[in-house]
């Protein structure tokens, strides 16, 4: 169906209406049209057509007029999936993948680091989700996560943009090194007061499933030393921004050098509960390695055994376990689904970027070759920021690959990580004249092949949902 659109002072335009976007409100009609490279929003009011660009004002108006286009709390639902979309293009694929799976999505999810690396803002990340939700007429709850926020300033920025979930990253308040201290050093650094000792020493703390947690003086001092400041900081944040507000609150203690022990997890949870802090999710640092964009590396038996205790602690304190860097961890997905009894949050982000680059390899091989060569040249720069074990010697040289062989690079862990961790450098690369090197060409290609991108994500994120569901 085509509709003639007239706007004052403009030439008549004729664009196809996106049927799934059609909404009426009173005697006004709203819909999007496919206007070439970018969609436009049309508002029909008093018989006149108003033709709007998809900018921040239009997103604010949509969220006001159609509450389903605004984020809301979702973490209290059983299965939730963080669908990080670094490009602002992935929501159609994410929603297609999750349809009928029982997962509620967090469609806007970015950390401050990702904002910087992608040159985006929280407004832009949320607006992209709003437009996609409106376009598709998706009327179920979805969340917006200010991910890995570390300061009051960052929190206020995310909340001022309407984010409904805070992920508090306490890594700067967590003090490492306790395990390496002598008993004397630790006693001096972490004096035990009688209240704390009475709360934890000489008793068995029983969890659902009959797991027990015990502390001795040493382990209690280590917990208090390591997490004391993080607990106080979390309490401050909770009281300022979460208490009495309709917001999801996740505590992330996953960015540490060593795995979170069950006793540490229990200590943090119990101390927070005693201070009246309600969490919706907590992300421990699990055993093994959660490298970006590839499967879990580690002992599956140990992972399952430890996850059982973490899940029991979460159940005791009425929150869900959150799994970070969760994309592509296919070997642990059935374990997560089973052990958490279908109640968990899992975050993905970089894998949707990788699917976008796989699309470039499939459809724009010449452009892919340029980007790949750039990533190789800048890998060491990107590597400083990520714990990855990439072996570039295992990435076949481009000259040896025909165009049709390029997409298969995305089946190799080493090539995946090469493209995964260089995303910020690729998106911000400039030529000698200071003009963007890849970004406009990449975006133009992704828009040209939008249907293919949706299909790739539907399959790939759909595989995540299916593997998690194999409980
Ligand atoms: Zn994390």
């Amino acid at each position: 169906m085509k509709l003639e659109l007239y706007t004052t002072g403009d030439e008549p335009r004729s664009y196809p209406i996106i049927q799934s976007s059609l909404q009426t409100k009173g005697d006004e009609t709203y819909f999007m049209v496919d206007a070439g490279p970018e969609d436009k929003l049309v508002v029909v009011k008093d018989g006149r057509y108003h033709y709007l660009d998809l900018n921040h004002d239009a997103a604010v108006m949509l969220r006001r007029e159609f509450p389903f286009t605004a984020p809301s709390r979702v973490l209290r639902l059983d299965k939730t999936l963080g669908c990080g979309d670094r490009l602002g293009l992935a929501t159609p694929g994410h929603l297609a993948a999750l349809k009928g799976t029982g997962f509620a999505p967090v469609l806007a999810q970015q950390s401050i680091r990702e904002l910087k690396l992608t040159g985006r803002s929280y407004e832009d990340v949320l607006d992209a989700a709003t437009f996609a939700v409106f376009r598709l007429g998706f009327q179920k709850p979805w969340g917006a996560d200010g991910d890995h926020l570390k300061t009051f300033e960052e929190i206020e920025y995310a909340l001022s943009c309407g984010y409904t979930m805070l992920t508090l990253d306490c890594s700067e308040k967590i003090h490492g090194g306790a395990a390496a201290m002598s008993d004397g050093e630790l006693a001096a650094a972490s004096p035990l007061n009688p209240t704390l000792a009475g709360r934890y020493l000489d008793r068995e703390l029983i969890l659902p499933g009959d797991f027990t947690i015990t502390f001795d003086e040493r382990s209690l001092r280590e917990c208090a030393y390591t997490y004391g400041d993080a607990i106080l900081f979390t309490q401050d944040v909770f009281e300022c921004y979460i208490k009495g507000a309709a917001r999801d609150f996740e505590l992330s203690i996953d960015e540490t050098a060593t795995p979170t022990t069950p006793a540490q997890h229990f200590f943090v949870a119990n101390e927070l509960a005693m201070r009246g802090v309600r969490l919706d999710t907590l992300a421990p640092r699990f055993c093994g390695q959660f490298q970006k964009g590839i499967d879990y590396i580690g002992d599956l038996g140990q992972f399952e055994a430890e996850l059982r205790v973490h899940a029991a602690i979460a159940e005791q304190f009425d929150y869900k376990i959150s799994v970070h860097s969760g994309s592509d961890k296919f070997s642990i997905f059935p374990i997560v689904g089973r052990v958490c009894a279908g109640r968990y949050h899992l975050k993905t982000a970089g894998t949707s970027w990788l699917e976008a680059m796989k699309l470039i390899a499939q459809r724009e091989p010449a452009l892919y070759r340029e980007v790949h060569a750039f990533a190789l040249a800048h890998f060491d720069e990107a590597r400083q920021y990520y714990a990855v074990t990439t072996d570039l010697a295992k990435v076949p040289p481009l000259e040896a690959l025909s165009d049709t062989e390029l997409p298969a690079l995305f089946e190799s862990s080493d090539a995946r990580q090469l493209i995964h961790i260089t995303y910020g450098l690729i998106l911000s690369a400039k030529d000698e004249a200071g003009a963007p090197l890849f970004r406009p060409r990449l975006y133009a290609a992704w828009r040209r092949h939008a249907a293919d991108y949706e299909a790739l994500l539907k399959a790939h994120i759909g595989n995540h949902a299916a593997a998690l569901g194999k409980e």
Side-chain angles (χ1 to χ4, degrees):
M1 171 181 172
K2 293 235 174 188
L3 181 93
E4 292 288 319
L5 300 174
Y6 300 93
T7 49
T8 351
D10 268 332
E11 292 293 303
R13 296 179 166 91
S14 171
Y15 298 125
I17 293 180
I18 297 160
Q19 292 296 327
S20 55
S21 70
L22 204 57
Q23 298 287 334
T24 52
K25 201 177 173 190
D27 49 11
E28 296 170 7
T29 305
Y30 295 69
F31 52 87
M32 281 184 180
V33 291
D34 182 353
E38 289 187 14
D39 298 342
K40 304 283 176 194
L41 178 65
V42 181
V43 183
V44 190
K45 216 173 190 171
D46 303 326
R48 297 181 63 166
Y49 292 90
H50 304 266
Y51 173 87
L52 307 175
D53 288 330
L54 299 190
N55 57 24
H56 183 59
D57 291 341
V60 170
M61 183 272 286
L62 282 180
R63 288 195 284 269
R64 189 183 62 231
E65 299 295 330
F66 301 100
F68 74 89
T69 67
S72 58
R73 287 188 71 179
V74 295
L75 284 191
R76 287 276 141 191
L77 301 171
D78 282 350
K79 294 195 291 186
T80 46
L81 193 77
C83 301
D85 174 13
R86 291 179 180 156
L87 303 171
L89 303 169
T91 293
H94 288 155
L95 289 178
L98 296 186
K99 197 171 180 186
T101 62
F103 278 93
V106 172
L107 295 174
Q109 171 204 286
Q110 258 191 297
S111 65
I112 299 286
R113 178 170 75 176
E114 287 173 303
L115 290 182
K116 284 184 186 141
L117 288 172
T118 55
R120 299 178 73 203
S121 64
Y122 268 144
E123 289 89 340
D124 169 39
V125 171
L126 182 56
D127 293 350
T130 288
F131 292 133
V133 161
F134 181 82
R135 191 184 201 278
L136 296 160
F138 177 74
Q139 303 237 11
K140 292 182 181 160
W142 58 278
D145 179 7
D147 197 9
H148 279 283
L149 302 176
K150 295 182 177 177
T151 65
F152 283 76
E153 199 186 358
E154 291 174 358
I155 291 168
E156 285 180 12
Y157 174 38
L159 293 181
S160 72
C161 299
Y163 281 63
T164 51
M165 169 175 174
L166 290 187
T167 297
L168 180 65
D169 179 332
C170 276
S171 50
E172 283 164 14
K173 308 280 179 189
I174 294 173
H175 305 297
M181 289 180 186
S182 70
D183 287 350
E185 283 167 342
L186 185 63
S190 181
L192 273 192
N193 67 49
T195 325
L196 202 63
R199 210 177 278 158
Y200 295 97
L201 295 181
D202 302 319
R203 54 199 298 183
E204 274 202 336
L205 302 147
I206 315 243
L207 298 171
D210 279 339
F211 294 104
T212 55
I213 304 268
T214 55
F215 288 83
D216 57 23
E217 212 178 294
R218 168 92 206 181
S219 62
L220 181 57
R221 282 187 202 277
E222 282 188 21
C223 280
Y225 175 83
T226 310
Y227 294 101
D229 284 348
I231 288 162
L232 295 177
F233 180 55
T234 305
Q235 183 185 3
D236 271 357
V237 168
F238 176 79
E239 285 172 3
C240 284
Y241 303 108
I242 304 294
K243 201 174 178 175
R247 286 175 186 143
D248 284 322
F249 189 34
E250 170 158 317
L251 176 62
S252 114
I253 54 171
D254 64 312
E255 306 247 322
T256 54
T258 50
T260 315
T261 64
Q264 289 170 338
H265 180 178
F266 181 88
F267 178 82
V268 171
N270 194 50
E271 288 298 307
L272 288 174
M274 300 208 46
R275 288 166 169 79
V277 176
R278 158 191 65 73
L279 298 179
D280 298 296
T281 38
L282 181 142
R285 157 93 150 80
F286 296 105
C287 60
Q289 294 179 46
F290 285 70
Q291 293 190 22
K292 302 291 179 185
I294 62 171
D295 203 351
Y296 176 74
I297 301 172
D299 180 331
L300 292 178
Q302 188 193 354
F303 174 78
E304 175 159 357
E306 294 189 13
L307 181 62
R308 284 190 184 286
V309 192
H310 287 306
I313 297 168
E315 187 186 339
Q316 166 103 333
F317 292 97
D318 189 30
Y319 55 75
K320 298 196 297 183
I321 290 292
S322 177
V323 180
H324 284 204
S325 301
S327 63
D328 304 287
K329 305 294 177 289
F330 288 100
S331 63
I332 60 163
F333 286 159
I335 301 174
V336 170
R338 183 174 71 242
V339 169
C340 297
R343 287 194 76 231
Y344 50 82
H345 183 59
L346 184 108
K347 291 195 189 190
T348 71
T351 206
S352 296
W353 152 257
L354 282 176
E355 291 301 300
M357 287 308 299
K358 190 206 279 182
L359 175 69
I360 300 296
Q362 288 173 343
R363 306 299 300 269
E364 310 278 343
L367 176 56
Y368 181 78
R369 286 175 189 276
E370 270 186 69
V371 175
H372 184 102
F374 173 90
L376 280 173
H378 292 81
F379 184 73
D380 285 339
E381 207 178 312
R383 184 171 207 155
Q384 310 166 31
Y385 303 103
Y386 291 95
V388 291
T389 51
T390 315
D391 181 358
L392 290 185
K394 291 189 186 152
V395 180
L398 281 184
E399 317 78 85
L401 300 175
S402 70
D403 283 355
T404 51
E405 289 169 325
L406 292 176
L409 284 167
F410 289 83
E411 286 155 32
S412 131
S413 294
D414 298 283
R416 287 178 75 77
Q417 289 191 320
L418 165 69
I419 299 299
H420 190 298
I421 71 167
T422 49
Y423 74 94
L425 297 169
I426 292 168
L427 290 170
S428 61
K430 304 262 194 297
D431 66 16
E432 279 147 29
L437 190 52
F438 304 120
R439 193 181 183 109
R441 285 185 289 157
L442 285 170
Y443 267 91
W446 288 321
R447 293 217 166 85
R448 239 185 342 268
H449 307 298
D452 296 320
Y453 188 40
E454 181 178 332
L456 282 175
L457 287 176
K458 184 180 177 190
H460 187 58
I461 299 295
N463 286 341
H464 285 61
L468 284 158
K470 281 191 194 125
E471 291 167 17

